[in-house]
Amino acid sequence: MLSLWLTILRLVKAIFRSWELPEFRAAFVLSLVILISGTVFYRSVEGWSWVDAFYFSATTISTVGLGDIAPATDLGKIFTVVYIFVGVGVFVTLFSQLARALLQKGKDEEGDSLQD
C-alpha cells in the first residue's frame, strides 16, 4: 500500500513539474476536454448514467476496453471509433510528457549527486 501512495505522490509531483511546459498544459487540458466530451456524449446519446459514461470514456481511451458496456446506437459506435483514434493519440502525448518529467527528475538528481 505504501508503494501505491509513493507512486501517486511521484505522479502528482511530475504533473506540477510539467505544468510549466506549454505542451504539457495543452495535452492535459485537451485530455480533460476529451474525457468530458465523451462522457457527455454517451450520457446523452446512449442514455447511460454519468458514472457509466465516464467509466466507458476512460476505459476506451486507455485502451483497456473491458467490454462490460458498449454503445448500442449506430451514432454511438461511429463516435466511439473516432473517439478512440483521437483520444489515444492525445493521451499518449500526455503520458509521454509525464514520463519526460519523471526521467528529467532522475537526471537532475544524478547530476546533483555527481557534483557533490
Side-chain angles (χ1 to χ4, degrees):
M1 191 65 168
L2 178 63
S3 151
L4 172 67
W5 289 111
L6 290 174
T7 302
I8 291 171
L9 180 64
R10 285 185 65 209
L11 176 64
V12 170
K13 284 182 179 179
I15 290 171
F16 280 113
R17 192 172 26 260
S18 299
W19 195 255
E20 42 190 68
L21 302 172
E23 299 89 6
F24 176 79
R25 284 194 309 269
F28 187 82
V29 169
L30 193 54
S31 298
L32 288 178
V33 167
I34 288 174
L35 267 176
I36 291 168
S37 65
T39 301
V40 169
F41 176 85
Y42 292 120
R43 167 82 174 145
S44 61
V45 172
E46 297 295 328
W48 296 341
S49 70
W50 288 108
V51 172
D52 283 344
F54 177 73
Y55 169 76
F56 184 77
S57 298
T59 58
T60 299
I61 286 182
S62 67
T63 69
V64 172
L66 298 173
D68 51 347
I69 55 176
T73 64
D74 288 341
L75 180 60
K77 292 173 185 177
I78 291 169
F79 176 81
T80 300
V81 170
V82 174
Y83 189 68
I84 290 168
F85 289 129
V86 171
V88 168
V90 170
F91 273 78
V92 165
T93 301
L94 176 68
F95 292 132
S96 69
Q97 294 288 334
L98 281 174
R100 184 175 298 140
L102 288 170
L103 293 174
Q104 185 64 38
K105 179 185 181 248
K107 286 182 182 178
D108 290 346
E109 288 175 356
E110 254 180 42
D112 291 344
S113 66
L114 291 175
Q115 293 175 358
D116 291 341

